[in-house]
Amino acid sequence: MTVTIKSPEEIAKMRIAGRLAAEVLDYITPFIKPGITTEEIDRLCHDYMTDIQQTIPAPLNYAPPGYQPYPKSICTSVNHVVCHGVPGAKKLKSGDIINIDITVIKDDYHGDTSRMFYVGQPSIQARRLCEITFECMWLGIQAVKPGAFLGDIGHAIQDCAERHGFSVVREFCGHGIGIKFHEEPQVLHYGQPGTGLRLEPGMTFTIEPMINAGKSDIRQLADGWTIVTKDHSLSAQWEHTVLVSATGYDVMTVSATTPLPPQPTV
Ligand code: MF3
Ligand code: CO
Ligand code: CO
């Protein structure tokens, strides 16, 4: 297992790529309304990345082993779609929830982040799932510090999800990131404290829990990319790119309007 440790120069580039990825989400936020199609969202984000930011949309033509090249520039995962939803002609409607996942390349380095959006008015259950998933991601992030274990992150996420009656998707995980989109380590969103890799300053990886309202089982659609819940229950995901700092964590994917961490209620 070769987990890269980023130099201060590399971390500076990761911070820029991370901010740019988050800024695509800031940019697209006011467009997420009933009637827009996911391919219109893809086109807007693509043009913003290439024309305004001069970033490269990392998903476009991305082809990991066993996959056909990804045909679009972003992932749009609506309702029971867990992840890797391919933008298309379907219009969003009020009550939908959608994850938009952005990965940009700037100066050779990747920034990878996703958020959930409500289209019009969400149901109480949909809102709860999105909020709890956000909390799960943050509990995972807050477990990051030198000397902690990957299993501490997974455990914090799993505990939060299951405490609220939700389930954690097992087949997809967070990942090391840098010059490569997906590198070691794999960051599981479930596990036992004190197990797995020990964290060291300079490691950069994503934390991106996929949490289902129903069972954890998933299925891949015939397009070779789109992942859905087997029981068609709602699924939510949030993602940040995180650095292990000297004393704790440093979130790379922050922008002017990144949602703030949940505030502990007394
Ligand atoms: N951005 C996704 C992740 O968080 C990966 C998408 S791969 C793609 O790892 F090809 F579907 F874009
Ligand atoms: Co990722
Ligand atoms: Co992503």
Side-chain angles (χ1 to χ4, degrees):
M1 174 132 119
T2 46
V3 177
T4 61
I5 301 295
K6 272 73 178 182
S7 69
E9 294 71 27
E10 289 184 288
I11 291 165
K13 291 184 185 183
M14 293 287 296
R15 225 179 269 291
I16 292 168
R19 176 177 51 78
L20 289 163
E23 284 176 353
V24 180
L25 291 171
D26 291 357
Y27 161 74
I28 203 63
T29 299
F31 294 98
I32 310 307
K33 290 191 191 137
I36 194 168
T37 68
T38 49
E39 68 197 357
E40 285 165 346
I41 297 169
D42 176 74
R43 174 53 47 192
L44 286 164
C45 290
H46 172 94
D47 291 352
Y48 187 77
M49 290 185 259
T50 59
D51 302 350
I52 308 290
Q53 294 187 324
Q54 273 95 47
T55 57
I56 299 167
L60 190 58
N61 298 316
Y62 183 60
Y67 286 83
Q68 43 193 306
Y70 189 77
K72 298 287 183 181
S73 297
I74 68 171
C75 297
T76 51
S77 301
V78 180
N79 295 340
H80 68 292
V81 178
V82 172
C83 63
H84 304 166
V86 180
K90 227 177 98 154
K91 282 186 163 75
L92 298 181
K93 59 180 194 311
S94 183
D96 285 346
I97 58 171
I98 179 173
N99 174 279
I100 301 183
D101 192 340
I102 302 292
T103 312
V104 306
I105 306 170
K106 182 71 165 186
D107 208 0
D108 297 333
Y109 285 81
H110 288 76
D112 187 7
T113 185
S114 79
R115 299 180 194 158
M116 294 302 299
F117 297 86
Y118 305 131
V119 183
Q121 206 49 42
S123 70
I124 288 167
Q125 201 225 25
R127 182 185 290 275
R128 206 171 92 88
L129 176 68
C130 294
E131 288 176 356
I132 297 300
T133 304
F134 185 66
E135 189 179 331
C136 287
M137 174 187 69
W138 270 103
L139 288 168
I141 292 171
Q142 287 160 355
V144 172
K145 61 178 180 198
F149 295 86
L150 278 182
D152 300 342
I153 301 172
H155 181 261
I157 292 167
Q158 180 179 12
D159 180 70
C160 174
E162 293 180 355
R163 190 153 39 82
H164 289 91
F166 298 142
S167 64
V168 177
V169 171
R170 308 286 173 131
E171 290 83 352
F172 296 91
C173 55
H175 49 92
I177 181 167
I179 290 183
K180 288 177 70 181
F181 191 166
H182 295 101
E183 59 182 39
E184 291 177 49
Q186 294 195 34
V187 182
L188 303 184
H189 302 118
Y190 59 92
Q192 292 306 315
T195 65
L197 182 74
R198 198 188 274 266
L199 305 183
E200 292 173 36
M203 292 179 176
T204 51
F205 50 79
T206 71
I207 297 179
E208 50 178 302
M210 285 140 274
I211 306 296
N212 298 347
K215 295 207 175 84
S216 65
D217 306 63
I218 58 156
R219 196 163 61 79
Q220 186 178 66
L221 298 189
D223 64 12
W225 278 103
T226 308
I227 305 296
V228 299
T229 56
K230 233 181 208 167
D231 62 9
H232 276 220
S233 65
L234 289 178
S235 187
Q237 178 178 31
W238 290 81
E239 174 174 28
H240 271 309
T241 300
V242 173
L243 163 74
V244 184
S245 70
T247 54
Y249 62 83
D250 202 346
V251 177
M252 302 280 100
T253 32
V254 286
S255 61
T257 63
T258 309
L260 294 171
Q263 298 305 306
T265 48
V266 182

